[in-house]
Amino acid sequence: MTSLEWKNKGEFYTINNQQVFVIDEGNADETLVILHGYPTSSFDYYKALPFLSKKYRVIIHDHLGFGFSDKPLNYSYSLIEQADIALLLWKKLGLNEVTILAHDYGTSIATEIIARNNMNLLPFSIKELILCNGSMHIELAKLRTIQKLLKNKITGKWVAKLANQTVFNRNIRKIYADSSKVSQEELNAMWFQLNYNNGRNVIHLLSNYINERYFFWHRWIGGLTQTPIPTKIVWATHDPIAVRAIGEQLHKEIPNNELRWLENTGHFPMLENPEEWSNLVLS
């Protein structure tokens, strides 16, 4: 699927004076809201969407700074604010009960939402939480060199300016278990959406989420250890960043959870093995 085809499937909503791109598909009674990862977009789910929409109405938005959503320069891109945007969008869509699925960057937005839910601050109920390959336990993550450079206030802007599609393609392929499963068309779509609306001007600002995972560790990991919400952990075994040990640690500390492994799969399981991953999410 091309970027243009994906864009034509969605629509834009104005949230806090910013344009947010939203995919809303399926007619089921239950609603699945998805929080996507870094540095990609809702496009990550184009292969899994046909499977997921058999059970759910599926809503995926591009976070601010990502994909087709606005990418303002004068914005903090804090995960706290990304949670605000998600909650305001879901309120605008009139959602009363949701299942939240989060991957990578999106898992920390989810943990902020869970922390608020623990304090009875949400206007809707959460039926289930599904966590997939994200480095919430940042102390266990194996960050790539480019991630470390981008999150640095001094080097981040320059690394973003110097990055090109060849570097991007190489880094994406390295985090697949089987790099042959990512096509050039998919890489082209990811790169196009990353650059859309001058996206490279904000990529170093987005990368501060890694620092926030340390700063808000007690709020976010603490929120998970206190949540009564049934939680499903769907973890790809061969992710070189959000490693197996993170999935195991979450399984130990979240009160009401089940852990499901997806074997021989890397950091983007919904793209690398979409049907098998979707089956684990839905089962």
Side-chain angles (χ1 to χ4, degrees):
M1 177 177 286
T2 67
S3 289
L4 181 59
E5 288 169 332
W6 186 248
K7 187 180 180 184
N8 287 338
K9 284 177 71 71
E11 56 187 308
F12 289 88
Y13 287 83
T14 302
I15 307 293
N16 277 0
N17 298 315
Q18 303 289 346
Q19 291 294 295
V20 176
F21 177 75
V22 181
I23 296 287
D24 187 347
E25 194 153 306
N27 299 307
D29 292 333
E30 293 186 68
T31 301
L32 178 71
V33 291
I34 297 180
L35 301 167
H36 72 77
Y38 169 101
T40 47
S41 69
S42 56
F43 180 78
D44 293 349
Y45 295 88
Y46 87 92
K47 289 180 178 176
L49 189 57
F51 302 110
L52 299 177
S53 59
K54 289 177 182 177
K55 178 179 178 181
Y56 292 108
R57 173 190 178 189
V58 182
I59 297 168
I60 325 168
H61 72 282
D62 290 345
H63 311 304
L64 283 188
F66 294 80
F68 294 118
S69 289
D70 279 355
K71 298 171 180 176
L73 288 173
N74 56 340
Y75 195 77
S76 77
Y77 292 104
S78 167
L79 291 160
I80 301 287
E81 288 189 287
Q82 298 285 27
D84 291 340
I85 294 292
L87 293 172
L88 287 168
L89 171 66
W90 300 340
K91 181 180 180 182
K92 179 168 273 196
L93 293 173
L95 305 184
N96 296 313
E97 182 182 73
V98 300
T99 291
I100 297 176
L101 186 153
H103 169 246
D104 185 71
Y105 178 97
T107 59
S108 288
I109 301 172
T111 53
E112 168 61 22
I113 291 170
I114 293 300
R116 297 185 197 188
N117 186 69
N118 291 347
M119 294 180 276
N120 297 314
L121 296 177
L122 299 188
F124 55 80
S125 61
I126 302 173
K127 183 176 182 179
E128 183 180 19
L129 173 66
I130 306 171
L131 298 172
C132 307
N133 289 80
S135 301
M136 298 93 87
H137 272 286
I138 190 64
E139 72 282 4
L140 299 176
K142 307 294 184 186
L143 296 180
R144 315 294 287 185
T145 300
I146 195 165
Q147 288 178 294
K148 294 176 183 177
L149 292 170
L150 281 167
K151 77 181 181 71
N152 185 287
K153 289 184 179 179
I154 297 171
T155 60
K157 182 181 290 189
W158 300 107
V159 171
K161 285 181 181 295
L162 292 170
N164 56 43
Q165 188 171 359
T166 301
V167 172
F168 176 80
N169 291 355
R170 183 168 65 245
N171 278 286
I172 293 294
R173 286 193 176 105
K174 282 182 178 178
I175 56 179
Y176 273 66
D178 180 355
S179 61
S180 70
K181 288 191 174 182
V182 58
S183 70
Q184 188 59 49
E185 184 181 60
E186 287 169 342
L187 292 168
N188 290 345
M190 291 178 189
W191 180 248
F192 177 84
Q193 291 177 52
L194 187 150
N195 281 277
Y196 187 84
N197 277 346
N198 298 311
R200 271 198 289 174
N201 290 336
V202 303
I203 192 73
H204 63 291
L205 302 174
L206 301 177
S207 302
N208 190 54
Y209 80 95
I210 297 171
N211 298 319
E212 285 193 296
R213 280 176 163 165
Y214 288 104
F215 190 81
F216 291 109
W217 193 95
H218 292 287
R219 175 180 175 88
W220 292 343
I221 297 299
L224 286 178
T225 64
Q226 297 165 28
T227 184
I229 296 167
T231 302
K232 190 183 297 177
I233 303 164
V234 179
W235 218 261
T237 57
H238 285 59
D239 186 335
I241 305 169
V243 293
R244 189 181 182 112
I246 297 175
E248 292 169 343
Q249 181 61 32
L250 293 169
H251 182 49
K252 289 177 186 175
E253 65 196 1
I254 298 174
N256 180 17
N257 83 84
E258 53 182 307
L259 172 60
R260 298 178 179 182
W261 295 111
L262 181 55
E263 300 291 338
N264 302 314
T265 305
H267 185 67
F268 287 102
M270 66 291 298
L271 284 168
E272 189 170 355
N273 283 313
E275 185 170 7
E276 190 177 354
W277 175 82
S278 297
N279 287 339
L280 291 175
V281 166
L282 295 173
S283 62

